[in-house]
């Protein structure tokens, strides 16, 4: 529930409040249509406990709806029903969250008729002021009727089980509690403690509904695209998006008009998918979530990779052997079961969700991927529920129609980013100093929507603002994404006693493995990969960059962007002109944009001051790598400076500007664009991040006189960032 300042909204309301009318309220306005009257009559038939429980159930939805709805029409609709004092709420318009809290609290305290009046008012407003969130809530209230309360009670209290099953459920919950009660987070490199437990209360996950077609349109780097998209969502206050809290992943879906059983949670690497799954399991164990499921089975795809043919029975018992005696009875009632599969993008199994080859016998061994597909397709344990996570790029390659709901984790909102910094830094002043620094850097702040990205930024700034030795300069503050990761890696290297030449060998081996992974969509590596790339898995330094998973043993980088950084860094650690040219060519050839961050980092490391952070670990010919990259970048811009008739050419030039921004090479910018007096980005939708990069170009190239931004959908913030560079222009469209 939403934490309001006045907790009375959360207290059990007295029966009098919801069974009698304390205020004489007009039932329905005379001008209301038949549908509104029918909705009103439907609400009047519900008992007091139904109205109270549904009001509490929809509380967080209502808070978001009221907070983002236009105030005048809302007050105009509520006032004739004696539900609102317009002046009281107008005085709170500057703080819409507070306004929504007080309004909902006031209506709750007025009792049954006031709650009905609010629902009817929202139903009327839906026609001209609807939103996905409002539409979804009203549809669920209208279509589910009394079954909604039954579901709410079932989620609170669960099913009645036999004494034997109850005993096994208790053992199962105890086992899962031990697995999920602690959130482990890496500590900064200088800290002796490698990881620590992290409280769930400081994690913030926001989910929004997206369409399956959304994933098929992804053609850019996930980190860049989602960061930009996240900005746009915030500007629209997410009013056009349906937000779903974790306790409502299996709520009524108004589009399919059913309660979904197959739910997919999507999100870019590091946004919190695994953390959310862990929280769902932990909250189920504690009795706070989804008690409708008597048993929850939690699997990670990376742990299933070495399983070949396996039956569903043996798959469950492999992870939960203590259930053997009662497993057959547990599986007799599939509707009471939830299967969670985390990390579809990490799976090496073939999973064709449109396949006709399905299985139905839980004791029959089948390929592991086929078992998962059969569960989702309902041929195996029809009636069970499945919750799965994946990166968006993997979803673009599968048939998503089998999932009745797809949600995407958007990450941290601004207030949550700030809260993360407060939790990370024990000193409040230091937390504020670090957050303000990041907030002033448009590039870093844009990517701060990722929890794992926040961790990397805070780790770097903790060293920059709190030097641990006299030789650690305070001035090492990142200005670009490349500098951020260069400092991050440099801090780790400086805390190891390893000889620099030995450390260089580790950077070289994991670098080539990282590049192979980036170019081939590989984020999970095994012992064979380590042998192939001559990675010394006994090196203590390795654990600073790679995470190891047991059963079976596999490895992955701390974050996918760390992998992308190493894929670029290796060309400066182990210079090979042939490999470099091939990688540059390959990186631009992939239509899915998998090479974009690689190119960002490659160009960023061409800057000598950025490379100097890693002095002693680079190849003697690292300068030659820089020269080759700069030459490639010049040629790339030369090609993209041709008459920009197509939208694709314009977007390619904008990408080149990002590379120039990361390079921080103003002379290169001037030289590359010296003969270009005009830029045309007409009809290219530009984000605020694009504006930041374009502002850097305009500030550097005083020779640009003509800029066409017609149809770019720039907002005020984007224009503000561009403003300083616009003064040099003669023509602006």
């Amino acid at each position: 529930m939403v934490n309001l300042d006045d907790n009375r909204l959360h207290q059990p309301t007295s029966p009098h409040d919801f069974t009698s009318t304390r205020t004489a309220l007009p039932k329905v306005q005379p001008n209301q249509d038949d549908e509104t009257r029918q909705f009103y009559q439907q609400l009047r038939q519900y008992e007091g406990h139904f109205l109270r429980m549904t009001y509490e159930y929809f509380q967080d939805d209502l808070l978001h709806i009221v907070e983002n709805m236009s105030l005048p029409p809302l007050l105009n609709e509520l006032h004739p029903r004696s539900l609102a004092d317009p002046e009281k709420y107008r005085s709170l318009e500057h703080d819409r969250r507070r306004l929504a809290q007080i309004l909902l609290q006031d209506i709750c305290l007025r009792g049954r008729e006031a709650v009905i009046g609010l629902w009817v008012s929202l139903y009327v407003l839906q026609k001209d002021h609807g939103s996905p969130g409002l539409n979804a809530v009203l549809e669920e209230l209208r279509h589910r009727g009394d079954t909604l309360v039954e579901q709410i009670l079932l989620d609170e209290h669960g099913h009645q089980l036999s004494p034997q099953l109850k005993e096994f459920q208790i053992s199962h919950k105890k086992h899962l509690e031990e697995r999920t009660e602690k959130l482990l987070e890496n500590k900064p490199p200088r800290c002796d403690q490698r990881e620590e437990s992290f409280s769930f209360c400081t994690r913030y996950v926001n989910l929004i509904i997206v369409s399956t077609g959304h994933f098929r349109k992804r053609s850019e780097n996930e980190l860049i695209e989602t960061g930009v998209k996240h900005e746009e969502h915030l500007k629209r206050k997410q009013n056009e998006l349906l937000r779903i809290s974790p306790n409502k992943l299996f709520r009524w879906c108004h589009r399919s008009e059913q309660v979904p059983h197959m739910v997919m949670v999507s999100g870019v690497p590091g946004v919190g998918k695994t953390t959310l799954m862990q929280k769902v399991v932990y909250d189920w164990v504690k009795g706070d979530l989804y008690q409708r499921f008597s048993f929850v089975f939690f699997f990670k795809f990376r742990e299933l990779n070495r399983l070949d043919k396996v039956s569903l029975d043996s798959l469950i018992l492999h992870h939960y052997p203590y259930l053997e005696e009662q497993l057959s009875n547990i599986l007799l009632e599939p509707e009471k079961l939830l299967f969670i599969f985390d990390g579809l993008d990490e799976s090496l199994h073939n999973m064709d969700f449109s396949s006709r080859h399905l299985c139905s016998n839980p004791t029959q061994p089948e390929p592991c991927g086929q078992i998962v597909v059969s569960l989702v397709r309902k041929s195996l344990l029809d009636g069970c529920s499945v919750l799965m996570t994946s990166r968006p790029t993997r979803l673009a390659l599968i048939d998503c129609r089998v999932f009745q709901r797809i949600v995407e984790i958007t990450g941290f909102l601004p207030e949550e980013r700030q809260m993360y910094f407060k939790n990370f830094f024990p000193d409040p002043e230091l937390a504020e100093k670090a957050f303000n620094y990041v907030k002033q850097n448009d590039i870093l702040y844009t990517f701060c929507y990722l929890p794992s990205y926040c961790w990397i930024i805070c780790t770097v700034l903790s060293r920059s603002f709190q030097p641990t030795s006299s030789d650690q300069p305070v001035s090492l503050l990142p200005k670009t994404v490349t500098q951020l990761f260069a400092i991050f890696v440099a801090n780790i290297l400086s805390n190891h006693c390893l000889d620099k030449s030995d450390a260089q060998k580790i950077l070289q081996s994991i670098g080539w493995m990282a590049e192979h992974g980036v170019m081939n969509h590989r984020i999970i590596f095994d012992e064979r990969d380590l042998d192939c790339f001559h990675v010394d898995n006994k090196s203590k330094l390795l654990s600073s960059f790679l995470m190891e998973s047991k059963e079976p043993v596999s490895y992955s980088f701390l974050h996918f962007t760390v992998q992308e950084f190493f894929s670029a860094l290796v060309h400066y650690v182990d210079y090979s002109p042939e490999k470099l040219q091939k990688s540059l060519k390959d990186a631009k050839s992939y239509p899915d944009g998998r090479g974009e961050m690689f190119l960002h980092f490659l160009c960023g490391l061409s800057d000598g001051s950025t490379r100097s952070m890693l002095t002693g670990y680079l190849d003697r010919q690292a300068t030659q790598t820089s020269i080759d990259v700069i030459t490639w970048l010049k040629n790339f811009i030369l090609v993209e400076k041709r008459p920009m008739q197509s939208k694709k050419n314009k977007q390619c030039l904008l990408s080149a500007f990002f590379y120039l921004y990361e390079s921080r090479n103003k002379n290169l910018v001037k030289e590359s664009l010296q003969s270009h007096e005009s830029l045309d980005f007409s009809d290219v939708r530009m984000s605020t991040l694009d504006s930041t990069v374009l502002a850097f170009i305009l500030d550097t190239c005083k020779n640009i006189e003509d800029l066409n931004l017609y149809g770019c959908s720039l907002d005020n913030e984007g224009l503000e960032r561009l403003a300083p560079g616009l003064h040099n222009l003669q023509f602006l469209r």
Side-chain angles (χ1 to χ4, degrees):
M1 289 188 180
V2 180
N3 293 319
L4 303 184
D5 291 347
D6 189 332
N7 291 323
R8 284 175 292 178
L9 190 56
H10 298 300
Q11 304 301 323
T13 313
S14 67
H16 176 77
D17 290 338
F18 281 83
T19 56
S20 64
T21 304
R22 295 168 55 185
T23 309
L25 300 172
K27 294 181 179 179
V28 170
Q29 300 302 307
N31 61 344
Q32 300 298 283
D33 56 33
D34 290 340
E35 286 189 7
T36 306
R37 291 178 182 277
Q38 289 174 10
F39 181 58
Y40 171 75
Q41 292 301 329
Q42 178 186 350
L43 294 173
R44 292 287 298 171
Q45 293 172 10
Y46 293 142
E47 297 179 3
H49 77 280
F50 174 94
L51 290 170
R52 180 177 66 253
M53 292 184 70
T54 52
Y55 191 74
E56 292 173 349
Y57 173 74
F58 287 118
Q59 197 175 109
D60 53 349
D61 300 288
L62 290 171
L63 185 63
H64 178 71
I65 290 165
V66 173
E67 182 182 358
N68 289 286
M69 182 175 281
S70 177
L71 189 60
L74 177 63
L75 294 179
N76 289 342
E77 191 59 43
L78 293 175
H79 184 55
R81 304 177 197 280
S82 303
L83 297 180
D85 173 7
E87 294 308 315
K88 172 183 177 180
Y89 299 111
R90 286 194 186 105
S91 67
L92 295 169
E93 191 169 5
H94 65 284
D95 187 350
R96 290 301 303 267
R97 171 56 63 98
R98 180 70 178 156
L99 185 156
Q101 290 173 341
I102 291 178
L103 177 61
L104 294 177
Q105 177 179 279
D106 288 350
I107 288 174
C108 182
L109 293 175
R110 284 174 176 264
R112 173 187 176 88
E113 288 297 331
V115 169
I116 293 176
L118 173 66
W119 284 123
V120 173
S121 298
L122 292 174
Y123 190 85
V124 173
L125 290 167
Q126 180 187 24
K127 182 177 180 181
D128 296 318
H129 304 278
S131 66
L134 177 58
N135 300 342
V137 166
L138 292 175
E139 285 291 307
E140 188 169 4
L141 189 60
R142 284 181 60 209
H143 284 85
R144 297 201 65 188
D146 290 327
T147 60
L148 180 57
V149 166
E150 293 173 10
Q151 190 65 73
I152 293 171
L153 290 171
L154 193 58
D155 272 338
E156 288 182 2
H157 306 294
H159 296 277
Q160 286 284 81
L161 299 177
S162 67
Q164 294 88 350
L165 277 183
K166 187 65 180 177
E167 182 181 343
F168 275 80
Q169 186 195 56
I170 291 171
S171 299
H172 185 53
K173 285 193 171 185
K174 183 178 180 181
H175 171 79
L176 286 178
E177 181 178 8
E178 292 173 355
R179 281 185 60 187
T180 60
E181 65 181 342
K182 291 183 179 179
L183 268 175
L184 299 180
E185 179 177 275
N186 289 321
K187 293 299 293 176
R190 69 175 183 276
C191 185
D192 293 334
Q193 188 182 4
R194 292 298 304 146
E195 53 188 26
E196 68 170 357
S197 60
F198 197 75
S199 173
F200 272 119
C201 67
T202 50
R203 293 282 182 178
Y204 299 85
V205 179
N206 298 277
L207 305 178
I208 58 172
I209 287 293
V210 293
S211 66
T212 54
H214 168 80
F215 304 108
R216 300 191 180 282
K217 295 176 183 176
R218 284 185 181 266
S219 59
E220 298 177 31
N221 176 275
E222 288 179 281
L223 179 65
I224 300 170
E225 183 186 7
T226 308
V228 171
K229 180 166 65 68
H230 198 266
E231 281 191 317
E232 294 172 354
H233 290 342
L234 296 181
K235 289 179 176 58
R236 295 185 308 193
K237 295 184 177 179
Q238 297 191 21
N239 194 38
E240 300 170 21
L241 301 159
L242 175 57
R243 295 176 66 175
I244 294 187
S245 52
N247 68 320
K248 291 174 184 167
L249 289 168
F250 293 96
R251 73 185 296 178
W252 168 269
C253 180
H254 70 288
R255 290 175 181 169
S256 59
E257 296 193 351
Q258 62 180 314
V259 175
H261 289 282
M262 305 298 154
V263 177
M264 172 64 77
V265 176
S266 171
V268 297
V271 78
K273 300 184 294 298
T274 298
T275 298
L276 175 61
M277 294 303 102
Q278 186 176 336
K279 188 176 191 305
V280 167
V281 175
Y282 182 75
D283 286 350
W284 175 77
V285 166
K286 304 302 288 183
D288 299 329
L289 193 71
Y290 296 135
Q291 297 308 291
R292 73 178 84 171
F293 302 118
S294 299
F295 287 86
V296 172
F297 303 111
F298 183 26
F299 305 98
K300 294 185 178 181
F301 274 114
R302 67 164 58 186
E303 296 173 357
L304 306 180
N305 278 338
R306 287 195 178 173
L307 297 178
D308 188 14
K309 278 199 170 184
V310 63
S311 68
L312 179 62
D313 277 8
S314 58
L315 177 63
I316 294 173
L317 293 178
H318 179 72
H319 287 78
Y320 310 105
Y322 51 83
L323 294 177
E324 183 172 9
E325 185 181 323
Q326 286 290 327
L327 183 59
S328 58
N329 292 327
I330 290 171
L331 300 184
L332 282 176
E333 298 180 285
E335 67 279 0
K336 298 179 182 179
L337 306 179
L338 171 62
F339 291 86
I340 297 178
F341 294 96
D342 181 39
L344 176 63
D345 49 281
E346 298 180 356
S347 176
L348 302 179
H349 292 291
N350 177 36
M351 274 179 282
D352 180 4
F353 289 97
S354 60
S355 173
R356 295 182 181 179
H357 302 288
L358 303 174
C359 57
S360 57
N361 185 348
T363 64
Q364 178 67 36
E366 301 285 355
C368 187
Q370 193 169 320
I371 295 289
V372 176
V373 170
S374 298
L375 282 171
V376 174
R377 291 281 301 279
K378 303 180 183 179
S379 70
L380 186 60
L381 295 189
D382 185 17
C384 76
S385 296
V386 175
L387 180 59
M388 195 177 293
T389 72
S390 177
R391 286 171 54 186
T393 47
R394 180 67 183 264
L395 291 190
L397 304 175
I398 67 172
D399 185 351
C400 293
R401 291 175 295 179
V402 291
F403 295 97
Q404 294 140 349
R405 162 164 284 141
I406 297 181
V407 299
E408 181 170 0
I409 302 180
T410 62
F412 285 164
L413 300 176
E415 59 269 23
E416 293 158 342
R417 301 177 194 187
Q418 189 167 13
M419 182 60 68
Y420 188 98
F421 277 70
K422 288 180 179 178
N423 290 333
F424 187 94
F425 293 95
D427 182 353
E429 290 186 11
L430 194 60
E432 185 176 2
K433 181 180 179 183
F435 183 72
N436 287 337
Y437 175 80
V438 172
K439 197 171 182 180
Q440 291 166 9
N441 186 304
D442 300 325
I443 300 291
L444 296 183
Y445 186 68
T446 296
F447 292 147
C448 228
Y449 73 94
L450 284 176
S452 59
Y453 217 91
C454 278
W455 176 78
I456 291 173
I457 291 174
C458 289
T459 298
V460 167
L461 294 183
S462 68
R463 287 294 300 268
S464 299
F465 288 139
Q466 288 182 311
T468 54
S469 62
S470 57
D471 61 347
Q472 177 71 43
V474 183
S475 58
L476 277 179
L477 291 171
K479 295 181 175 61
T480 66
V481 177
T482 307
Q483 289 182 356
L484 173 71
F485 282 88
I487 298 172
F488 177 73
V489 171
N491 285 342
I492 293 176
L493 293 171
S494 67
N495 279 274
H496 279 272
C497 301
L498 209 59
D499 182 84
K500 285 194 174 183
S501 62
D502 292 333
Q504 188 178 24
K505 290 176 184 176
I506 292 291
L507 295 179
Q508 177 180 325
S509 58
I510 65 172
W512 289 123
M513 187 173 76
E515 197 210 48
H516 173 77
V518 168
M519 300 304 177
N520 292 278
H521 276 315
R522 288 278 306 280
I523 58 175
I524 302 297
F525 307 93
D526 58 25
E527 296 283 359
R528 291 168 296 183
D529 294 311
L530 267 61
D531 290 340
C532 179
F533 291 98
H534 311 292
V535 179
D536 180 8
N537 61 357
K538 295 179 182 178
S539 170
K540 292 182 179 180
L541 179 59
L542 195 66
S543 62
S544 297
F545 301 126
L546 294 181
M547 297 182 294
E548 181 179 347
S549 298
K550 304 292 185 183
E551 299 181 8
V553 176
S554 62
Y555 302 87
S556 61
F557 286 85
L558 293 178
H559 184 272
F560 183 57
T561 317
V562 173
Q563 180 179 336
E564 291 175 305
F565 178 77
F566 277 117
S567 72
L569 178 63
V570 71
H571 290 281
Y572 291 88
V573 173
D574 183 22
Y575 174 65
S576 166
E578 295 79 15
K579 289 182 179 180
L580 177 59
Q581 292 306 320
K582 182 180 185 303
S583 296
L584 287 167
K585 182 180 178 181
D586 289 347
K588 289 308 294 184
S589 69
Y590 298 116
D592 58 13
R594 72 185 76 168
E596 280 303 297
M597 281 304 294
F598 165 78
L599 291 171
H600 277 233
F601 287 137
L602 203 60
C603 294
L605 288 166
S606 69
D607 173 42
S609 61
T610 301
R611 282 202 315 282
S612 67
M613 300 170 185
L614 293 163
T615 298
Y617 301 99
L618 305 181
D619 192 293
R620 293 178 181 177
Q621 298 191 67
T623 302
Q624 187 58 49
T625 305
S626 175
I627 293 171
D628 290 353
V629 170
I630 290 173
T631 301
W632 172 85
L633 186 50
K634 285 179 183 177
N635 293 333
F636 179 72
I637 294 173
L638 204 60
V639 171
E640 299 308 329
K641 281 199 316 182
R642 293 173 302 185
M644 296 185 293
Q645 300 300 323
S646 73
K647 189 174 181 179
K648 183 180 179 181
N649 284 348
K650 298 173 185 178
Q651 289 172 330
C652 282
L653 183 61
L654 200 54
S655 293
F657 286 179
F658 270 86
Y659 307 152
L660 289 169
Y661 181 90
E662 281 295 322
S663 76
R664 310 304 292 170
N665 191 332
K666 292 195 172 186
N667 288 331
L668 175 61
V669 177
K670 292 175 183 177
E671 183 182 345
S672 301
L673 298 172
Q674 62 181 346
S675 62
H676 225 59
E677 297 182 355
S678 65
L679 294 174
D680 181 4
F681 292 108
S682 57
D683 298 319
V684 174
R685 187 177 181 84
M686 296 187 70
S687 68
T688 309
L689 193 58
D690 295 325
S691 299
T692 299
V693 172
L694 184 55
F696 167 74
I697 298 297
L698 293 176
D699 181 60
T700 308
C701 296
K702 308 297 184 182
N703 55 291
I704 297 175
E705 299 178 349
D706 188 347
L707 178 61
N708 188 352
L709 299 177
Y710 180 79
C712 289
S713 303
L714 278 170
D715 57 17
N716 289 336
E717 187 177 352
L719 285 170
E720 286 175 8
R721 294 188 185 183
L722 274 175
L726 298 180
H727 296 297
N728 300 320
L729 300 174
Q730 300 295 321
F731 305 99
L732 173 64
R733 281 161 284 182

